[in-house]
Amino acid sequence: MSTSERTGNRQAAPARTARPGSDGEHLVQQRTGTTERADRFYAEQVLDRLNTRMREFVARQEMFFLATADRHGECDNTFRAGPPGFLHVLDERTLAYPEYRGNGVQASLGNIEENPHVGILMMDFLRDRIGLHVNGRARVVAADDMRRERPGLAAADPAPGRRAQLWVEIDVDEAYIHCAKHIPHLQKVPLHGAGRAWGTDDFKRKGGDFFAAAAEAPGRGPFLPPPRAGAATWQAEARRVLEQAEHRAAEDEDPAFNGWFHRDLPVEHGHDPGR
C-alpha cells in the first residue's frame, strides 16, 4: 500500500528519505550516541516551512540574530532590531527584512552575495521565553524593486528617521524551536528622554568608542587597502568566479551561485561597480 493512500478518513504522511542536518552533525551524533534522540527532534520539531504559530511568533518579534558566511566559509554574526513586524512574514516559506544605512561595511549583505545560506535566531526574552531558528537562502533586493514586487510592504519604517535602502528576502529551508531552558526572562525599562536614536549618525549616541578600539588605532599602523580594480578587471574576475561556481553546482546538483552581479544587467558607461 502506498504511503499516499488513505487509511480510513486519514491520509498517511509521505515517507521522508533524507534526515535534516549536516553530515558533520550526523557524524557527531554517532560518536556521542545521540542519533536516536536527534531523530526524534528532527521528526517532531524540524519543519520546512513556518507553521501558524511560528508565523505569529515572528510577527511580534523586535529583534533577531543573523548568521552568514562568505564563499570561503568565513563567518559573521550580527543583530537586527526594529518595531514588531519589521521581520515580515510574506508567506509560510518566505521572510523579508529591511536594511538601513549603517557603518558602510555591508558584511552580511556581502556574504549573502557570495553565499546565500543564512541562519536567523529569534529569542523572545520578554513574553514567551522561547526561541525560533530559521535557516534558508537569501537574496538582496533593491528597495524600489521590493515595493514593486511586494506592494503591501510599507514604503518607510514606522520608526522616525529610518528608511530602507535594501531588503533581504529569505526562502525558508528549516524552522525549529530553541528550547527555553537557559533563556533569561527580561523586562523592558521605561523610555528615558527622546528614547532610541533610530537613524542617528551621532557618534556618541551610536556607542562612541565603547571598546576603545579607535584609541588603539595609532599603534596598529596605517590601513592601506589594495588598489581598486577598474570595471573591466572586476567583471572579468567576477565572471570567472561565477563560471567556476556554476560548474561546481552542475556537478553536485546544488543551485548555482548567483552573487556579485547579474549577467543580464547592463553596465553603465564609465561606472565602476566596485565603488
Side-chain angles (χ1 to χ4, degrees):
M1 178 178 178
S2 167
T3 55
S4 63
E5 292 183 51
R6 291 185 178 276
T7 55
N9 293 326
R10 181 179 178 183
Q11 186 171 3
R16 292 184 286 186
T17 59
R19 298 174 76 220
S22 67
D23 293 339
E25 68 187 66
H26 299 161
L27 178 61
V28 175
Q29 290 161 13
Q30 293 173 7
R31 289 175 178 169
T32 57
T34 65
T35 299
E36 185 177 347
R37 184 149 41 104
D39 278 341
R40 286 198 301 272
F41 183 84
Y42 291 152
E44 296 175 0
Q45 296 296 333
V46 180
L47 305 182
D48 63 353
R49 68 192 188 288
L50 300 167
N51 66 15
T52 300
R53 289 192 177 184
M54 289 175 175
R55 296 196 297 273
E56 292 171 350
F57 180 87
V58 173
R60 62 176 180 265
Q61 298 312 303
E62 299 180 50
M63 57 182 155
F64 66 86
F65 300 91
L66 174 69
T68 61
D70 65 17
R71 67 185 184 280
H72 303 296
E74 298 290 337
C75 299
D76 183 76
N77 193 285
T78 192
F79 175 76
R80 293 290 183 267
F86 85 104
L87 177 58
H88 296 256
V89 180
L90 302 182
D91 55 54
E92 67 174 5
R93 296 181 186 275
T94 317
L95 297 174
Y97 70 88
E99 284 280 359
Y100 302 101
R101 185 176 184 272
N103 59 15
V105 174
Q106 312 288 20
S108 298
L109 298 181
N111 284 349
I112 289 170
E113 284 295 307
E114 295 190 25
N115 175 3
H117 296 278
V118 299
I120 285 178
L121 174 59
M122 287 160 272
M123 302 292 282
D124 189 336
F125 299 101
L126 306 176
R127 170 178 155 175
D128 299 307
R129 207 171 55 81
I130 203 75
L132 176 64
H133 293 264
V134 177
N135 298 327
R137 294 169 181 258
R139 70 184 184 106
V140 180
V141 185
D144 290 342
D145 293 340
M146 194 64 172
R147 284 192 289 273
R148 281 195 295 269
E149 295 176 16
R150 307 281 186 175
L153 292 180
D157 194 284
R162 304 208 309 176
R163 185 180 180 87
Q165 295 188 331
L166 296 165
W167 286 79
V168 176
E169 188 174 295
I170 300 163
D171 294 330
V172 175
D173 290 332
E174 293 180 337
Y176 55 92
I177 191 172
H178 186 101
C179 76
K181 186 164 56 175
H182 299 296
I183 299 177
H185 194 178
L186 307 180
Q187 292 182 335
K188 284 188 176 181
V189 298
L191 292 177
H192 296 285
R196 294 181 179 179
W198 295 113
T200 184
D201 268 332
D202 183 271
F203 178 72
K204 290 185 177 180
R205 299 191 77 186
K206 291 195 296 183
D209 190 24
F210 183 86
F211 293 105
E216 299 174 0
R220 294 194 294 268
F223 173 63
L224 300 175
R228 187 184 300 277
T233 303
W234 186 90
Q235 285 197 351
E237 175 63 11
R239 289 184 185 278
R240 184 186 67 79
V241 172
L242 181 61
E243 288 169 0
Q244 288 180 343
E246 289 175 340
H247 180 70
R248 288 194 299 269
E251 291 179 343
D252 60 18
E253 297 183 353
D254 279 345
F257 166 77
N258 63 356
W260 285 19
F261 74 101
H262 299 289
R263 289 181 170 178
D264 55 348
L265 293 180
V267 178
E268 296 180 8
H269 179 70
H271 175 66
D272 181 355
R275 294 184 183 274

